[in-house]
Amino acid sequence: MLLHRHRELCERAVDPLEVAAGLEAQGFTDRTAARYRHRDVFSLAEELYARVPRRPEEVRVAEDRTEPVAPWALAVLAPGAVAALAWLGLALTQGPVRAAVGAAGALALGGALFLAVRRGPLRAPGGRTVPAARLWTLWLLAYAVGGDGLLAEVLTGGPDDLWELTPGPLLALALAVAPAAWCAHLFARRARRRIADSRGLADFAAAVRPLLLGTVTLQLLALAALLLPTGAGPGALALGALLLLARLLTVHGHPETASAALAAACAAEVLALASVLSSRLPVPGFDALAVPVRAVTDAWGPGAVPTLVCGAAALGLLAHATGSLARASAHTTP
């Protein structure tokens, strides 16, 4: 019965570990395998793989499943190019023309980002995403541009006029889309190679965890180098880590978790602003609502709020990713 139910999986598999990944994705554990008189899921997968003949025309190497590099390489360069042109336009214009250039640049950047995540290693297979995640991402990017200035104005009784905008972090984050795509590409390729080289699910997980940490570290180094000329604070670096981990989880089949972390970060930033505004209401005790935010900003400045918020969300996603992305089922398409 078990063999019949998973025959197609076994026929299409490249090796026993891919069968094990498919079983793992369907909820099989070592305890489940024990009911079939096997010590673990991999041992059960080896038997199923050995007993089902492969169809030669459908056996394919894992690397062959990846999209050719050339089409998506141009797509992931588009956000950086658009952001750089918008930055130049803002520097060369004044008044209403500058506002129009900024609005046009924002719209063009949104389109370029949409294109970048629809192609190549940043694309979610089957289009499986949470639509609300786009809204959370846009809010986090908008806060990176104007959130610190708005919070500073609100803390001093404003805003009385347009607060200071800092497009530098957005430029660096847009330029960082290309290295993020390459990091995601390398992570996916090397993880799939581990499927062929590993001799069990535990062996695969032990090999992929340092690969994931190396991927995140490499992207953070690239983003830090891009942020350095803009003078942006650590909040943009924390946001970059959060966005990378959220996209990796989305690409590898965990969009709900990614969206939840992005939503939590947005809610925390909104709450920080709302708590200060609420403290102005002539209601007894409401002045205490702003105490935590004032304490943080007095100690480290307004930029500490997004740093703490995005950093905490990124650490939560990283902890989740070291478990979920170390599963072989996150890297196979049986």
Side-chain angles (χ1 to χ4, degrees), residues 22 47 51 70 82 141 154 192 216 222 247 264 275 282-283 289 300 305:
E47 181 182 346
R51 292 175 62 181
V82 170
L141 293 174
V154 168
R192 288 179 184 134
V216 174
R247 199 62 206 176
S275 64
V283 179
L289 294 174
W300 299 295
V305 171

Side-chain angles (χ1 to χ4, degrees), residues 27-64:
F28 274 70
T29 63
D30 291 345
R31 182 175 297 182
T32 310
R35 296 207 298 266
Y36 296 97
R37 299 181 181 180
H38 285 272
R39 68 180 184 278
D40 54 30
V41 175
F42 185 70
S43 173
L44 174 61
E46 283 186 315
E47 181 182 346
L48 293 175
Y49 182 80
R51 292 175 62 181
V52 176
R54 255 67 55 207
R55 288 179 285 187
E57 70 276 8
E58 294 195 5
V59 175
R60 65 259 187 240
V61 198
E63 283 79 2
D64 292 340

Side-chain angles (χ1 to χ4, degrees), residues 121-198:
L122 298 180
R123 178 178 61 87
R128 189 185 166 213
T129 61
V130 177
R134 298 172 191 168
L135 180 61
W136 312 143
T137 302
L138 289 175
W139 166 266
L140 291 170
L141 293 174
Y143 193 97
V145 173
D148 292 348
L150 175 59
L151 181 59
E153 288 286 327
V154 168
L155 286 168
T156 56
D160 300 318
D161 201 350
L162 181 64
W163 58 92
E164 182 183 1
L165 302 179
T166 54
L170 186 59
L171 173 62
L173 288 166
L175 291 170
V177 171
W182 280 103
C183 286
H185 175 66
L186 292 174
F187 175 67
R189 283 180 64 89
R190 294 191 176 185
R192 288 179 184 134
R193 285 178 183 172
R194 295 290 188 276
I195 290 177
D197 299 337
S198 301

Side-chain angles (χ1 to χ4, degrees), residues 12 48 51-52 58 75 97 218 221 228 236 238 263 279 301-302 307 310:
R12 293 175 177 272
L48 293 175
R51 292 175 62 181
V52 176
E58 294 195 5
V97 177
L218 184 62
L221 289 174
L228 197 58
S279 68
T307 301
C310 294

